[in-house]
């Protein structure tokens, strides 16, 4: 799926946008032609779907190959180590040689194209073909250069990161026998268990929101999927958002109660003091950011602000809401290391 969606996404990028040039030399998209020609509508819709499939195939590859790519060699057998090394070496070699080949090809055309096309005085089939190719390459990014190059470099980044894992998955699929998994028999302390529950729950909240956003952020995909995209709103409203709010409150209360009890009983080691202090600092920041967000939302809904034009309440709430998530995650990381026995 990653290869097919990547190749198709590249093919859609090679269809240039029609444009018009105004009297003031400004470039605009030719919306009349975009609406009349079915090819552009089909390209925009399928391009968004291909991008969503490409991103999610990369994520699934990372998850499925995480054991082979992240565990130390002592937890893997010889075949897995060989497959991993071969996949990364071959993938890196293919990407390097592909980039070098593309650079040499473009350099050859740029260097010798004009000379070859000048043999017939600029009127033969060779000069016309070269000028047509030159115009086509320019038209690819002429109407929307930043959008085109963002999509192009995003494609290159995804392919560069996912190609070695594609090779690794292919090699692993050739040997489908069951392989024993590594199990950690170490018993977690209560704080580490609570932190593990927090991160596992947060993972599913993030996945559900990512699935919804990956569909609705591309208008053509959202319109095409129709009722399916609408059905994604139901679990988001009734499960993900309430679950995220409950998780935030539960983690804050659990962390605060544990740290207060540890401080009341007295620290037994310097390590315990350090983890408690670090967790406290990020917990305070998390609660302060959450208090700001909650206050702004309540005051906005209750219309308590009055005439306060010029104060960016929405931007402040957005920044605090974004910052309090990693702050709580860091607080839970330190909380997991806090021994309370």
């Amino acid at each position: 799926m990653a290869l097919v969606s990547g190749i198709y996404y590249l093919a859609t990028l090679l269809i240039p946008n029609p444009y018009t040039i105004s009297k003031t030399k400004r470039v605009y998209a030719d919306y009349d032609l975009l609406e009349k020609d079915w090819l552009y509508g089909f390209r925009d819709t399928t391009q968004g779907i291909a991008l969503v499939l490409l991103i999610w195939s990369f994520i699934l590859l990372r998850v499925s190959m995480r054991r082979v790519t992240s565990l130390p060699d002592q937890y893997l057998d010889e075949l897995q180590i060989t497959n991993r090394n071969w996949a990364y070496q071959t993938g890196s070699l293919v990407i390097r040689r592909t980039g070098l080949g593309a650079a040499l090809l473009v350099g050859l055309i740029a260097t010798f194209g004009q000379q070859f096309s000048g043999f017939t005085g600029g009127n033969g089939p060779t000069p016309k073909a070269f000028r047509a190719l030159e115009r086509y390459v320019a038209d690819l990014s002429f109407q929307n250069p930043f959008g085109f190059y963002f999509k192009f470099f995003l494609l290159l980044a995804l392919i560069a990161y996912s190609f070695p894992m594609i090779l690794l998955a292919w090699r692993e699929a050739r040997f489908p026998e069951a392989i024993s998994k590594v199990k950690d028999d170490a018993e977690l302390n209560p704080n580490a268990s609570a932190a593990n529950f927090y991160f596992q729950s947060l993972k599913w909240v993030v996945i559900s929101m990512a699935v919804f956003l990956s569909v609705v952020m591309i208008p053509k995909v959202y319109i095409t999927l129709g009722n399916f995209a609408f059905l994604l709103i139901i679990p988001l409203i009734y499960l993900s958002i309430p679950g995220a709010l409950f998780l935030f409150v539960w983690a804050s209360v659990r962390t605060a109660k544990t740290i207060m009890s540890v401080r009341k009983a007295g620290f037994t080691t310097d390590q315990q003091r350090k983890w408690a202090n670090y967790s406290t600092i990020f917990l305070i920041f998390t609660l302060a950011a959450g208090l700001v967000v909650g206050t702004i939302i309540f005051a906005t809904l209750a219309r308590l602000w009055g005439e306060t034009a010029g104060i960016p309440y929405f931007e402040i709430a957005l920044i605090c809401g974004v910052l309090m998530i990693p702050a709580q995650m860091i607080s839970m990381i330190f909380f997991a290391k806090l021994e309370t026995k």
Side-chain angles (χ1 to χ4, degrees):
M1 183 173 67
L3 282 176
V4 173
S5 58
I7 294 172
Y8 184 82
Y9 186 70
L10 176 61
T12 59
L13 289 179
L14 297 180
I15 302 176
N17 275 336
Y19 59 88
T20 58
I21 302 177
S22 66
K23 295 180 180 180
T24 58
K25 305 301 182 181
R26 298 188 63 180
V27 180
Y28 297 94
D30 190 348
Y31 294 104
D32 292 335
L33 185 57
L34 288 174
E35 293 178 358
K36 293 179 181 178
D37 197 333
W38 64 271
L39 178 63
Y40 296 108
F42 181 78
R43 178 203 61 180
D44 294 339
T45 301
T46 54
Q47 185 184 81
I49 295 175
L51 179 60
V52 171
L53 293 177
L54 181 61
I55 293 175
W56 277 102
S57 62
F58 168 72
I59 295 173
L60 293 176
L61 276 172
R62 291 280 297 178
V63 173
S64 61
M65 293 291 104
R66 181 178 57 186
R67 179 174 182 271
V68 181
T69 58
S70 61
L71 285 180
D73 291 349
Q74 60 265 30
Y75 294 108
L76 305 175
D77 57 30
E78 185 178 353
L79 177 61
Q80 291 174 319
I81 297 174
T82 302
N83 289 341
R84 182 188 62 189
N85 296 339
W86 173 85
Y88 278 92
Q89 291 174 1
T90 305
S92 177
L93 181 64
V94 170
I95 292 172
R96 292 199 308 267
R97 290 187 175 179
T98 302
L100 178 61
L104 291 176
L105 178 61
V106 175
L108 181 65
I109 296 174
T111 304
F112 299 103
Q114 294 288 353
Q115 285 77 2
F116 290 157
S117 62
F119 290 156
T120 57
N123 296 317
T126 302
K128 292 180 180 179
F130 180 77
R131 287 196 297 268
L133 177 62
E134 201 173 34
R135 178 65 180 272
Y136 168 73
V137 174
D139 286 346
L140 287 176
S141 60
F142 190 75
Q143 188 270 323
N144 184 17
F146 288 105
F148 173 80
Y149 286 111
F150 169 73
K151 295 176 183 178
F152 181 74
F153 287 117
L154 176 63
L155 173 64
L156 291 182
L158 290 174
I159 292 298
Y161 277 99
S162 62
F163 187 69
M165 287 185 291
I166 293 173
L167 295 178
L168 179 59
W170 174 72
R171 286 291 290 260
E172 289 286 313
R174 296 180 60 186
F175 304 95
E177 66 270 12
I179 300 176
S180 59
K181 295 184 178 180
V182 178
K183 294 184 179 180
D184 189 3
D185 294 332
E187 183 179 355
L188 298 177
N189 65 67
N191 297 339
S193 299
N196 183 60
F197 170 78
Y198 169 81
F199 284 108
Q200 291 295 328
S201 303
L202 184 63
K203 177 184 70 174
W204 289 108
V205 171
V206 172
I207 289 176
S208 63
M209 292 184 176
V211 171
F212 177 76
L213 291 176
S214 62
V215 173
V216 301
M217 289 185 67
I218 304 176
K220 289 283 186 178
V221 177
Y222 182 75
I223 295 173
T224 303
L225 296 180
N227 292 332
F228 174 75
F230 178 76
L231 290 176
L232 293 176
I233 302 177
I234 298 176
L236 182 71
I237 294 177
Y238 293 100
L239 292 177
S240 298
I241 295 177
L245 180 60
F246 171 79
L247 190 65
F248 171 79
V249 175
W250 172 83
S252 300
V253 172
R254 176 64 185 269
T255 306
K257 289 179 62 177
T258 303
I259 293 176
M260 290 173 61
S261 64
V262 171
R263 290 184 179 278
K264 185 177 180 180
F267 298 113
T268 57
T269 62
D270 292 337
Q271 285 289 99
Q272 189 184 42
R273 181 192 301 273
K274 181 176 70 172
W275 301 135
N277 291 337
Y278 288 163
S279 184
T280 302
I281 292 172
F282 286 98
L283 175 63
I284 293 174
F285 182 85
T286 302
L287 295 178
L291 181 62
V292 171
V293 174
T295 302
I296 292 177
I297 293 176
F298 174 77
T300 301
L301 295 178
R303 299 181 179 180
L304 299 178
W305 295 121
E307 297 294 332
T308 56
I311 301 178
Y313 290 112
F314 175 77
E315 290 78 3
I316 294 174
L318 182 62
I319 294 174
C320 292
V322 172
L323 292 179
M324 73 179 186
I325 299 174
Q328 188 174 57
M329 293 174 63
I330 298 174
S331 176
M332 292 301 293
I333 291 175
F334 293 128
F335 174 75
K337 300 178 180 181
L338 180 62
E339 290 286 348
T340 55
K341 292 183 179 180

